[in-house]
Amino acid sequence: DAGITQSPRHKVTETGTPVTLRCHQTENHRYMYWYRQDPGHGLRLIHYSYGVKDTDKGEVSDGYSVSRSKTEDFLLTLESATSSQTSVYFCAISALGGGNQPQHFGDGTRLSIL
Amino acid sequence: SQQGEEDPQALSIQEGENATMNCSYKTSINNLQWYRQNSGRGLVHLILIRSNEREKHSGRLRVTLDTSKKSSSLLITASRAADTASYFCATEDSGGSNYKLTFGKGTLLTVNP
């Protein structure tokens, strides 16, 4: 299995609080991705990174920010969490971008915002 | 917006039977991938097929791609209870950013013992 660790695995927090999710990889892959998974919507891309300090928006980026200060870590921040951001968040990595190689996924963070 | 759409949304079969899932997409693609997701876990890559390929095999898996119909199918032969999972197709658009995959909503496969 690819070395991807997401933390925390579960989190419950209140509306309006800041939340940071961490994705850590040991594969030295260039590309990292944050997705959210919701019933009826499947997997949707939030933000992705194509190198240290190189990030871009995905399909559902509003309300989220990311940072990548080193190859192995990709952080997802909800500046002021809302109930609509209750979801399961997945981090993925790949050596090459797009569909050229498989993406490898972490086991997700289940986030509940009350 | 969703590029790939899997069909059916849910499929229930008996162990030993074959399972076929379909994926349709809207725009031209470079590649198409299939993933499996067990309950409570992340997605696991199964197979990648490029736009110039028509069929690929991996163990009990067979994937076909018809670019003229903008569709792909995943066949699992001689299914097992352990194949119970959700299956997703993902596409890389030929005209868009080459960094991203777009995932469908998935097919939930239940294999009954």
Side-chain angles (χ1 to χ4, degrees):
Chain A
D1 287 349
I4 309 167
T5 304
Q6 291 188 233
S7 59
R9 292 295 315 279
H10 302 271
K11 186 172 183 67
V12 179
T13 190
E14 294 183 348
T15 300
T17 60
V19 177
T20 295
L21 308 183
R22 180 181 183 234
C23 178
H24 178 79
Q25 61 144 328
T26 58
E27 304 298 317
N28 201 36
H29 281 353
R30 178 181 175 188
Y31 295 88
M32 299 186 75
Y33 308 83
W34 276 109
Y35 295 92
R36 61 178 289 174
Q37 186 174 37
D38 305 286
H41 290 280
L43 215 64
R44 292 180 292 175
L45 181 65
I46 305 171
H47 281 280
Y48 62 99
S49 171
Y50 47 97
V52 174
K53 291 187 169 55
D54 292 323
T55 65
D56 205 349
K57 296 178 180 179
E59 179 187 355
V60 289
S61 59
D62 287 349
Y64 302 95
S65 62
V66 290
S67 65
R68 191 169 178 200
S69 59
K70 45 187 177 178
T71 299
E72 56 265 36
D73 288 327
F74 192 33
L75 303 181
L76 177 70
T77 297
L78 292 65
E79 299 290 348
S80 177
T82 68
S83 58
S84 65
Q85 294 175 311
T86 291
S87 187
V88 182
Y89 290 85
F90 288 97
C91 173
I93 65 173
S94 66
L96 297 176
N100 293 305
Q101 277 198 354
Q103 292 187 9
H104 303 282
F105 284 77
D107 278 335
T109 293
R110 187 171 294 274
L111 178 63
S112 297
I113 300 164
L114 307 178
Chain B
S1 60
Q2 233 67 30
Q3 164 73 308
E5 291 288 339
E6 292 89 347
D7 171 63
Q9 291 186 338
L11 179 61
S12 181
I13 60 174
Q14 296 300 121
E15 212 165 21
E17 294 180 340
N18 295 342
T20 299
M21 287 157 275
N22 302 297
C23 171
S24 59
Y25 55 90
K26 297 184 178 67
T27 61
S28 296
I29 61 171
N30 290 330
N31 309 286
L32 186 144
Q33 300 184 31
W34 284 92
Y35 288 80
R36 184 189 76 236
Q37 184 181 31
N38 292 93
S39 181
R41 303 297 301 274
L43 278 70
V44 174
H45 179 262
L46 296 175
I47 202 162
L48 182 155
I49 188 165
R50 302 192 188 281
S51 59
N52 61 353
E53 298 175 309
R54 291 297 168 258
E55 187 171 313
K56 286 192 82 168
H57 296 257
S58 177
R60 294 184 295 113
L61 306 181
R62 171 177 170 253
V63 168
T64 61
L65 179 64
D66 187 336
T67 54
S68 67
K69 294 182 179 178
K70 293 187 171 58
S71 68
S72 174
S73 67
L74 170 66
L75 169 66
I76 303 174
T77 61
S79 64
R80 306 165 182 169
D83 294 328
T84 294
S86 292
Y87 292 82
F88 296 86
C89 66
T91 55
E92 178 199 5
D93 296 350
S94 63
S97 163
N98 62 359
Y99 299 147
K100 299 183 292 186
L101 288 177
T102 304
F103 287 82
K105 297 178 184 178
T107 291
L108 176 59
L109 173 66
T110 302
V111 181
N112 302 298

